[in-house]
Amino acid sequence: DVKVTQSSRYLVKRTGEKVFLECVQDMDHENMFWYRQDPGLGLRLIYFSYDVKMKEKGDIPEGYSVSREKKERFSLILESASTNQTSMYLCASVHRSSTYEQYFGPGTRLTVT
Amino acid sequence: AQKVTQAQTEISVVEKEDVTLDCVYETRDTTYYLFWYKQPPSGELVFLIRRNSFDEQNEISGRYSWNFQKSTSSFNFTITASQVVDSAVYFCALSAPMDSSYKLIFGSGTRLLVRP
């Protein structure tokens, strides 16, 4: 079974802190994604990566950056956390030759105070 | 532009009732995929079904069934004889194969509450 893991289920940070959210997948998937989920808005794409060291902005990249140094690991970085970044963050991956089914991690609920 | 609309924010039913979750999509692509995901209280999205734009056959899997109609750009999901364990948030999503990112466009989700 494909497994996508995220470093924390719950995280509480202070405004202005630098925050790292880690995502690891074990199925050699090329493409990886970071979404944030907010009530009434569904999942919105922050950034995605289609290869090591490659990244593309999604729909809401402001305030975030990403890093992909290894194929299995995709990190989301909040350079200076703000209260409006309090949200659920979901990581996903997909194999490029598949029929687009994305596999999701359990999510990280981040609270910025 | 691509868009997915789930007009029902929340639905509440009594156990054993049938319930249909609506999904309407917009895309200019002729080839695309549609998905339904379930998000139980644990938080992890669980894949339920994928349908490509060339296959309009309805699908049934146990108590779940899906009705894909290109003429109305809809991909509705019906749960027959609902159970408490069906309580979750359900997301409809769209992806276009010509988009090499493989990204998904999600609807805003429908929260289903099945009461005993």
Side-chain angles (χ1 to χ4, degrees), chain B residues 77-97:
Chain B
F77 172 31
T78 296
I79 302 174
T80 303
S82 60
Q83 300 177 1
V84 172
V85 294
D86 296 327
S87 296
V89 181
Y90 291 86
F91 291 97
C92 181
L94 167 71
S95 188

Side-chain angles (χ1 to χ4, degrees), chain A residues 90-101:
Chain A
L90 290 155
C91 175
S93 70
V94 66
H95 196 288
R96 218 175 279 152
S97 64
S98 76
T99 48
Y100 285 71
E101 175 190 336

Side-chain angles (χ1 to χ4, degrees), chain B residues 14-94:
Chain B
V14 176
E15 205 170 18
K16 298 184 183 176
E17 282 186 30
D18 298 347
V19 58
T20 295
L21 309 182
D22 298 332
C23 174
V24 174
Y25 63 93
E26 296 175 29
T27 181
R28 292 180 183 169
D29 296 299
T30 55
T31 302
Y32 51 89
Y33 288 100
L34 295 165
F35 300 80
W36 276 96
Y37 281 85
K38 174 183 179 179
Q39 187 180 41
S42 60
E44 186 170 340
L45 267 74
V46 177
F47 167 79
L48 294 178
I49 190 172
R50 173 191 59 249
R51 174 67 65 210
N52 75 53
S53 53
F54 296 110
D55 183 2
E56 285 195 73
Q57 279 192 331
N58 292 332
E59 181 154 340
I60 298 175
S61 176
R63 296 183 298 106
Y64 294 171
S65 62
W66 290 270
N67 182 2
F68 176 32
Q69 291 195 342
K70 287 180 77 170
S71 60
T72 56
S73 297
S74 64
F75 186 43
N76 296 338
F77 172 31
T78 296
I79 302 174
T80 303
S82 60
Q83 300 177 1
V84 172
V85 294
D86 296 327
S87 296
V89 181
Y90 291 86
F91 291 97
C92 181
L94 167 71

Side-chain angles (χ1 to χ4, degrees), chain A residues 11-21 78 81-83 86 110-113:
Chain A
L11 210 52
V12 179
K13 296 291 182 181
R14 293 192 181 275
T15 301
E17 279 193 77
K18 191 168 186 175
V19 182
F20 292 87
L21 303 183
L78 287 66
S82 64
T83 54
T86 291
L110 172 67
T111 302
V112 182
T113 61

Side-chain angles (χ1 to χ4, degrees), chain B residues 99-112:
Chain B
D99 179 350
S100 60
S101 72
Y102 284 63
K103 66 184 180 184
L104 293 174
I105 307 298
F106 284 88
S108 55
T110 297
R111 181 177 299 275
L112 174 64

Side-chain angles (χ1 to χ4, degrees), chain A residues 34-38 41-46 59-60, chain B residues 106:
Chain A
W34 275 106
Y35 296 90
R36 67 175 277 175
Q37 180 183 358
D38 300 288
L41 298 176
L43 278 73
R44 294 178 292 166
L45 182 64
I46 304 171
D59 300 317
I60 51 166
Chain B
F106 284 88

